[in-house]
Amino acid sequence: MGTFDGKIVIVTGAGGGIGQAICMRFGSEGAHVIGVDLKADWLEELRGRMTEKGYKLQTKIVDCSDYKAVMSTHAALEKEHGRIDILINNAGQSAREKSAEFTDSEPEIWDFLINTNLRTTMNWSRAVAPGMRARQAGKIVNVASESAIYGDPKLVEYAAAKNGVIGLTRGLGRELAPFGVNVNAVSPGI
């Protein structure tokens, strides 16, 4: 018996390194994992790893920054499974390859980082929160970054977006706590 036997878990950004590790761990604990990512080849790699271990995995290719796509995908998943027990908002990236000092940064990078890190978290949280609130059960875990706390030169926009994730977590946590829904964030670093 695993800790998460029978639980329905959505993991966004499931194809990347941290996402795959999260999916593998939930799979090892008996959860039915729904891996969401924009990159089909990454999801196929994850499928191979999880299938090899006998873990339950379902994948969805979704642009998590697209509100309508997220809401539509969530509605279909909730109809299929009856509920979502846990959401791991892991989608995001730092765009290190495009990093520059803030005084040289461009609004296109700001938009990309806010959409990829904060909007994705807002979209999926908005999708699952009503059902969790109605059932008075559920967990949302948002992946922030230690950059949000300490700041990093040449990653100012990323730090700002991840700090938004922390603010969202705190506010949503206070809204949903009276309904038995936990909202937390983790802030990994290098």
Side-chain angles (χ1 to χ4, degrees), residues 15 118 125:
L118 180 55
S125 296

Side-chain angles (χ1 to χ4, degrees), residues 14 24 37 43 45 52-53 61 99 139 141 150 179 182:
M24 293 294 289
D37 206 296
L43 288 174
E45 178 186 330
E52 182 179 295
K53 297 282 188 183
I61 299 170
S99 67
K139 300 192 183 315
V141 179
Y150 302 112
F179 302 96
N182 299 111

Side-chain angles (χ1 to χ4, degrees), residues 37-190:
D37 206 296
L38 193 54
K39 297 181 179 179
D41 54 332
W42 288 14
L43 288 174
E44 279 307 308
E45 178 186 330
L46 174 63
R47 179 180 303 288
R49 291 183 67 207
M50 290 194 65
T51 300
E52 182 179 295
K53 297 282 188 183
Y55 302 155
K56 298 174 198 141
L57 175 69
Q58 179 178 0
T59 59
K60 295 288 180 183
I61 299 170
V62 181
D63 178 353
C64 295
S65 68
D66 181 335
Y67 178 78
K68 289 180 181 178
V70 168
M71 295 302 280
S72 172
T73 301
H74 170 264
L77 291 169
E78 186 128 323
K79 182 176 182 183
E80 178 180 351
H81 297 285
R83 71 192 190 288
I84 302 301
D85 298 302
I86 300 167
L87 168 66
I88 309 296
N89 276 311
N90 177 62
Q93 68 163 283
S94 65
R96 286 184 194 279
E97 69 283 355
K98 297 178 183 178
S99 67
E101 290 189 9
F102 186 72
T103 54
D104 296 324
S105 67
E106 298 294 330
E108 294 78 22
I109 296 294
W110 308 349
D111 292 342
F112 172 76
L113 289 168
I114 289 169
N115 285 335
T116 305
N117 293 287
L118 180 55
R119 185 170 301 280
T120 59
T121 302
M122 292 176 77
N123 287 345
W124 275 102
S125 296
R126 174 61 180 84
V128 303
M132 290 180 173
R133 180 180 166 151
R135 286 186 298 280
Q136 297 197 357
K139 300 192 183 315
I140 299 171
V141 179
N142 298 325
V143 178
S145 170
E146 73 176 5
S147 288
I149 299 162
Y150 302 112
D152 281 317
K154 297 186 179 179
L155 291 173
V156 173
E157 309 90 336
Y158 174 70
K162 288 298 191 177
N163 215 316
V165 170
I166 292 171
L168 171 70
T169 302
R170 288 181 173 149
L172 189 58
R174 292 183 73 186
E175 276 189 18
L176 295 179
F179 302 96
V181 179
N182 299 111
V183 184
N184 292 288
V186 294
S187 293
I190 292 174

